[in-house]
Amino acid sequence: ITAYDLQTLGIVLDTPERFAAARDLQVKISGCPNSCAQHYIADVGFFGSARKLGDRDVPTYQVLVGGGGAPGDAFARPVLKVPAKRAPDVFRRVVELFAAERQPGERFYDFARRIGVERFQSALAEFEAPDSADPEVFVDWAQSVEFRAPRAR
């Protein structure tokens, strides 16, 4: 549904602290909502979606945290849906939260389970609502025209 570019998320790792915190994170991102990127087994997952703002479509990502692919691990939990252009900001905040609040040696999976979805929701809430005054909110990554969500026929 949305365009995606994992390199875009990489730009937020612009400090040694952020890079160190994110070094072992498994991040999966896809414009497809059908788990093509296996975002449910990622530390941080993003999958494409859309929402209406008035009569216009906004490309969005559903954000998930705390999934694991090891035996006994659980699926990532949905946190919130954000405009696609806010995905780098969300990822930066998740990395900063992990760097600031993790316990020594704690892997992200355990961190996410310990602090819970509500903590992520409160840390990321400012990114959730699309800003209708920003024309870029209606344009997807790597696109130059306004986003139109696919419709079933």
Side-chain angles (χ1 to χ4, degrees):
I1 289 180
T2 63
Y4 66 98
D5 180 355
L6 196 53
Q7 289 180 336
T8 302
L9 295 184
I11 64 172
V12 307
L13 305 178
D14 55 354
T15 68
E17 295 79 20
R18 285 190 195 122
F19 183 79
R23 181 179 30 234
D24 295 326
L25 290 184
Q26 185 177 51
V27 180
K28 296 181 178 261
I29 184 169
S30 173
C32 178
N34 297 321
S35 199
C36 295
Q38 301 179 336
H39 43 266
Y40 283 103
I41 61 170
D43 290 317
V44 183
F46 295 86
F47 69 85
S49 182
R51 77 167 22 146
K52 287 293 232 185
L53 189 57
D55 62 346
R56 300 165 81 185
D57 294 326
V58 176
T60 61
Y61 281 112
Q62 176 66 53
V63 180
L64 302 106
V65 297
D73 283 353
F75 286 135
R77 297 174 179 168
V79 176
L80 46 70
K81 188 185 283 191
V82 298
K85 293 288 179 84
R86 299 307 304 266
D89 299 322
V90 167
F91 185 57
R92 177 183 295 114
R93 181 69 53 82
V94 167
V95 170
E96 289 171 349
L97 185 64
F98 183 49
E101 298 184 16
R102 78 187 288 193
Q103 295 175 351
E106 186 174 38
R107 67 183 182 134
F108 190 87
Y109 177 87
D110 298 317
F111 168 76
R113 296 283 182 247
R114 180 174 57 79
I115 71 166
V117 169
E118 296 80 15
R119 177 70 179 101
F120 284 103
Q121 288 170 332
S122 68
L124 302 173
E126 72 179 276
F127 305 119
E128 187 171 20
D131 179 2
S132 61
D134 179 4
E136 284 297 305
V137 78
F138 301 103
V139 180
D140 204 357
W141 289 104
Q143 302 298 313
S144 58
V145 296
E146 193 167 300
F147 174 78
R148 292 278 177 218
R151 304 277 188 251
R153 293 181 188 206

